[in-house]
């Protein structure tokens, strides 16, 4: 049995005070949600304050990105995985489509970031997903395969236990066009097959594959009925504590 993960990605929203207020509001609303793991990813500048406020709760904190470099050094502007760990993060998001699209991040970079995160004791939420043109060109599976295989290059079976995959079709992010539960299921099952080829059916079976892209309180339950959908990575709808709590409590 895979324990679902509901993760919220706050992107470049919220100053420290607002981040803390949202975290404080969220904490009691999800305190009884034992059916899933809950993670929120505030901007870097709010991580410490939010992690402090969530200490001892069932809400974990994630960085939205980390450096490809795992050792301290002259890397202006970079935030190391150990620095995320140091301020209380348990997870880090790697390879988000906005990083790939706007900051030209490659699968090789996602791979280096993943390795750096694992080396520093973080769990990784590796994002993959095709663009609309790639889907229309019938290349969705080959693109996603490349992102999964590229992102996980060199990872051992033990490492895989700390990997969560987030399937986020680019055409569904922030657009209001959610993938249908069937579309999500199809790609999630494909991702699991790719993992089974690379590792084993047993190990692939244990990996949580989240769906992301316009997840809202009114579509989460439908997505969660699908066998290979093990949770969600939520952007816009995670910014408000009550809305995000409704998504977390999709089974209530
Ligand atoms: P969205 O974003 O829920 O606002 O579509 C999802 C994401 O980018 O992770």
């Amino acid at each position: 049995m895979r324990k679902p993960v509901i993760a919220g990605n706050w992107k470049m929203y919220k100053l420290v005070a607002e981040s803390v207020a949202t975290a404080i509001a969220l904490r009691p609303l999800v305190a009884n949600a034992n059916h899933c793991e809950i993670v929120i990813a505030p901007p870097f500048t709010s991580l410490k304050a939010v992690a402090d406020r969530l200490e001892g709760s069932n809400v974990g904190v994630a960085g939205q990105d980390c450096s490809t470099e795992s050792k301290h050094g002259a890397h202006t502007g970079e935030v190391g995985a150990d620095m995320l760990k140091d301020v209380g993060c348990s997870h880090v998001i790697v390879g988000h489509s906005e990083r790939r699209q706007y900051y030209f991040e490659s699968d090789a970079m996602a791979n280096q970031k993943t390795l750096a995160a694992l080396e520093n004791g973080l769990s990784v939420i590796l994002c993959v997903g095709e663009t609309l043109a790639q889907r229309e060109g019938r290349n969705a599976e080959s693109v996603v395969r490349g992102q999964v295989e590229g992102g996980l290059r060199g990872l051992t079976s033990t490492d895989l236990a700390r990997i969560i995959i987030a399937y986020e079709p680019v055409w569904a992010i922030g657009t209001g066009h959610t993938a249908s539960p069937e579309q999500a299921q199809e790609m999630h099952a494909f991702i699991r097959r790719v993992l089974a080829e690379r590792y084993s059916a047993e190990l692939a079976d244990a990996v949580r594959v989240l769906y992301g892209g316009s997840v809202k309180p009114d579509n989460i339950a439908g997505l969660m009925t699908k066998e290979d959908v093990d949770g969600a990575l939520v952007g816009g709808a995670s910014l408000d504590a009550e809305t995000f709590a409704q998504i977390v409590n999709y089974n209530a």
Side-chain angles (χ1 to χ4, degrees):
M1 266 298 277
R2 296 182 292 269
K3 188 164 193 180
V5 179
I6 305 288
N9 172 11
W10 290 358
K11 306 191 180 185
M12 201 177 88
Y13 292 99
K14 297 184 190 292
L15 303 180
V16 176
E18 194 189 348
S19 299
V20 167
T22 307
I24 289 173
L26 180 66
R27 188 174 174 153
L29 297 175
V30 298
N32 297 322
N34 302 316
H35 60 284
C36 66
E37 289 172 19
I38 308 161
V39 182
I40 54 172
F44 287 132
T45 45
S46 296
L47 283 172
K48 171 99 175 81
V50 166
D52 286 351
R53 295 306 183 120
L54 293 175
E55 214 182 317
S57 78
N58 58 341
V59 183
V61 175
Q64 296 175 12
D65 188 24
C66 71
S67 180
T68 54
E69 303 295 329
S70 64
K71 298 281 175 291
H72 294 174
H75 308 297
T76 303
E78 291 292 280
V79 175
D82 68 328
M83 296 170 178
L84 296 180
K85 183 90 183 164
D86 186 44
V87 293
C89 290
S90 51
H91 293 68
V92 61
I93 297 171
V94 164
H96 190 278
S97 68
E98 286 152 16
R99 303 291 326 163
R100 294 177 188 266
Q101 267 189 298
Y102 308 131
Y103 304 96
F104 313 108
E105 291 194 4
S106 62
D107 290 325
M109 288 170 77
N111 182 236
Q112 281 180 283
K113 292 178 179 197
T114 298
L115 293 168
L118 292 173
E119 197 178 311
N120 287 288
L122 295 172
S123 293
V124 173
I125 302 175
L126 174 68
C127 300
V128 301
E130 81 286 358
T131 62
L132 186 58
Q134 289 164 337
R135 175 161 282 256
E136 287 176 341
R138 303 193 175 282
N139 293 318
E141 287 193 349
S142 63
V143 167
V144 169
R145 174 188 285 277
Q147 291 171 337
V148 171
E149 290 178 346
L152 301 184
R153 187 156 296 135
L155 266 68
T156 64
S157 304
T158 321
D159 292 334
L160 195 65
R162 299 230 308 281
I163 300 292
I164 296 166
I165 307 276
Y167 169 58
E168 302 203 299
V170 176
W171 47 271
I173 295 179
T175 58
H177 301 301
T178 326
S180 68
E182 291 69 31
Q183 283 173 318
Q185 167 58 28
E186 205 178 322
M187 190 60 88
H188 286 216
F190 173 74
I191 290 169
R192 213 177 294 287
R193 287 201 296 281
V194 170
L195 294 173
E197 281 169 27
R198 171 77 177 72
Y199 296 92
S200 68
E202 198 188 351
L203 287 171
D205 215 42
V207 175
R208 272 83 56 91
V209 184
L210 316 185
Y211 168 77
S214 299
V215 173
K216 304 277 182 287
D218 64 4
N219 58 31
I220 182 69
L223 288 158
M224 292 304 294
T225 61
K226 295 298 177 189
E227 189 184 339
D228 289 293
V229 177
D230 306 314
L233 178 53
V234 185
S238 73
L239 294 171
D240 175 70
E242 291 201 2
T243 308
F244 185 60
Q246 283 176 39
I247 296 174
V248 169
N249 296 317
Y250 61 87
N251 60 343

